Amino acid sequence: MPADTGLRSCTLYLTQEEVHSRHCRVANVIANQRLEGLEVDIQTRSDLQELANGSLTVDEALKRLHARIGHVQI
């Protein structure tokens, strides 16, 4: 059973165009990381997809990231 992160689900109401645009931006972010010689881990990829779908906020995604890897300065 996954650990409770204390995060609530938040669904944003996005148009299909907004969702498509967000997914394109996520793909670009991942591609840019690869160009830099880095690979985005599977959980972060999953969080980015949720963010693109509107089911996760930026604040929630950052909280998840911090919970996984500790405090990072962004």
Side-chain angles (χ1 to χ4, degrees), residues 22-72:
R22 285 173 165 225
H23 279 282
C24 287
R25 284 184 272 168
V26 165
N28 284 335
V29 165
I30 292 169
N32 283 332
Q33 290 298 297
R34 283 190 180 135
L35 288 172
E36 294 292 329
L38 304 170
E39 190 64 40
V40 178
D41 68 88
I42 191 73
Q43 186 58 52
T44 301
R45 290 171 78 104
S46 176
D47 290 347
L48 289 171
Q49 294 303 322
E50 286 185 58
L51 193 61
N53 288 331
S55 59
L56 187 69
T57 66
V58 171
D59 286 341
E60 290 170 333
L62 289 173
K63 286 178 186 176
R64 287 181 181 183
L65 180 64
H66 287 173
R68 280 195 309 278
I69 63 172
H71 182 72
V72 292

